[in-house]
Amino acid sequence: MQAITPATPAVSAAVSTLASTLAATFVNIAAYKFITLDDTEAMRPLYQEQCLALELKGTILLTPEGINMFLSGTREHIDNFLAWVRSDERLADLECKESLSIEQSHKRMLVKLKKEIITMRMPLIKPELGRAPSVDAHTLKRWLDAGVDDAGKPVVMMETRNAFEVDVGTFNNTLDYRIDKFTEFPAVAAAHKDELEGKTVVTFCTGGIRCEKAAIHMKEIGYDSVYQLDGGILKYFEEVGGEHYTGDCFVFDYRTALNPKLEPTETVQCFVCRAVVTPRQQLAPEYVYEVSCPHCFHKTSRP
């Protein structure tokens, strides 16, 4: 009888990846576009009807400055929905980022009317009228490999996300000003402008949407070399993986965090205080499912 040759680690990893892909039955999309929408109230019931008919779960924000969507469903239903959305000529070029999962990444479907796609409270910043310069994932990786951009300027990464998101993972040696909400970013960017003179600053966030406003603001207050990472961290993971990045990427759905392979991790959010709880923190005695975690244990009233 011929001996069976043990699988190499590379083969085992490939088989594991294939098995995970075959098991993943749901497509999760993130999409946004800054475009004037003056009929959001009329749009809302139409979007609700489509999502209900296609059994989609997630959140859609309809605002006067555009649309923002996080949705989960079967491939067929997601494709049908996107075809319907793109039949509106204002959204014909809507682009999406995708990941796969074995469960729908959201538990319910909400279509909301908001004043802004992402709250910054600076109404004069209108990405629809012109984006700040962007850098794609492959170019950014090349810059980070070299430490300088194509003009020879040192490259500095700047966070636009909230501190609790950054704690899950971020680019190496990034500037993290520990903001608690995006409305704090304009003042922080202005306060640190002088110390970044002569450097190329690349702003980034989860999917790119915050940077659409952040990078414009930075250009307007005098940053001479600022870019936004096109598609954000998720697009970077999709195109080049996790080089120059440590940790995972926080996402606003039940998965909590995705690794550079865009796979869900064991990181969770506390049911009580919504703090991010890492796998190591889940081993602590203070972590009791749906009761407490190390972040809120001493603040939670005990029976």
Side-chain angles (χ1 to χ4, degrees):
M1 180 180 295
Q2 185 177 1
I4 298 175
T5 302
T8 65
V11 171
S12 297
V15 170
S16 176
T17 300
L18 177 60
S20 298
T21 301
L22 293 175
T25 57
F26 292 100
V27 178
N28 311 298
I29 62 168
Y32 70 87
K33 183 178 181 181
F34 284 95
I35 185 73
T36 298
L37 298 176
D38 54 11
D39 56 345
T40 55
E41 290 192 10
M43 293 171 67
R44 185 184 185 190
L46 300 178
Y47 273 72
Q48 288 175 321
E49 179 182 354
Q50 286 292 321
C51 292
L52 179 63
L54 294 171
E55 300 178 333
L56 302 182
K57 301 288 181 62
T59 302
I60 297 175
L61 302 183
L62 298 173
T63 80
E65 67 176 5
I67 187 171
N68 190 18
M69 306 191 302
F70 299 92
L71 295 173
S72 183
T74 64
R75 166 58 68 187
E76 179 183 4
H77 288 172
I78 286 289
D79 288 348
N80 288 344
F81 179 76
L82 288 174
W84 177 79
V85 170
R86 290 167 176 154
S87 67
D88 182 337
E89 62 180 13
R90 299 171 297 181
L91 303 171
D93 58 351
L94 183 73
E95 297 183 1
C96 295
K97 290 173 286 296
E98 292 188 359
S99 63
L100 303 176
S101 61
I102 60 175
E103 298 179 65
Q104 285 185 283
S105 60
H106 292 74
K107 302 302 183 184
R108 56 180 178 167
M109 185 66 234
L110 297 172
V111 182
K112 300 179 179 180
L113 300 182
K114 294 283 188 178
K115 293 181 179 180
E116 298 180 69
I117 293 180
I118 182 70
T119 303
M120 194 179 195
R121 299 197 182 109
M122 300 191 73
L124 296 182
I125 293 182
K126 298 181 180 295
E128 179 186 2
L129 301 180
R131 303 177 73 208
S134 63
V135 58
D136 63 77
H138 289 281
T139 300
L140 176 61
K141 179 185 176 301
R142 179 164 53 79
W143 286 1
L144 294 177
D145 287 343
V148 295
D149 65 9
D150 293 336
K153 287 186 176 181
V155 174
V156 177
M157 302 297 293
M158 181 184 286
E159 276 281 6
T160 65
R161 299 178 299 160
N162 299 336
F164 77 92
E165 299 171 73
V166 181
D167 290 342
V168 176
T170 188
F171 282 96
N172 300 336
N173 303 314
T174 196
L175 293 175
D176 169 24
Y177 296 120
R178 311 308 292 168
I179 63 175
D180 292 319
K181 51 189 176 181
F182 187 54
T183 50
E184 298 172 6
F185 181 81
V188 166
H192 294 275
K193 180 173 72 72
D194 291 344
E195 64 198 57
L196 294 171
E197 184 73 27
K199 298 179 180 178
T200 287
V201 180
V202 179
T203 64
F204 66 93
C205 55
T206 308
I209 192 167
R210 278 173 269 201
C211 296
E212 294 278 8
K213 291 186 173 183
I216 291 175
H217 170 71
M218 292 169 69
K219 292 288 290 185
E220 290 185 348
I221 64 173
Y223 280 80
D224 62 353
S225 183
V226 61
Y227 294 83
Q228 55 187 315
L229 174 56
D230 203 15
I233 298 168
L234 296 182
K235 192 67 173 178
Y236 185 90
F237 282 178
E238 179 184 335
E239 295 195 352
V240 303
E243 289 197 56
H244 302 290
Y245 192 98
T246 298
D248 304 313
C249 179
F250 180 88
V251 290
F252 289 91
D253 59 53
Y254 91 89
R255 297 170 298 174
T256 304
L258 301 180
N259 64 25
K261 294 181 180 180
L262 296 177
E263 300 168 335
T265 71
E266 296 302 316
T267 298
V268 300
Q269 273 189 296
C270 175
F271 181 82
V272 177
C273 71
R274 308 310 297 162
V276 174
V277 188
T278 66
R280 180 179 292 275
Q281 291 171 328
Q282 291 169 43
L283 299 175
E286 294 85 358
Y287 180 71
V288 180
Y289 181 66
E290 294 192 352
V291 175
S292 66
C293 77
H295 301 283
C296 67
F297 179 80
H298 297 293
K299 303 176 185 177
T300 305
S301 58
R302 314 300 294 171

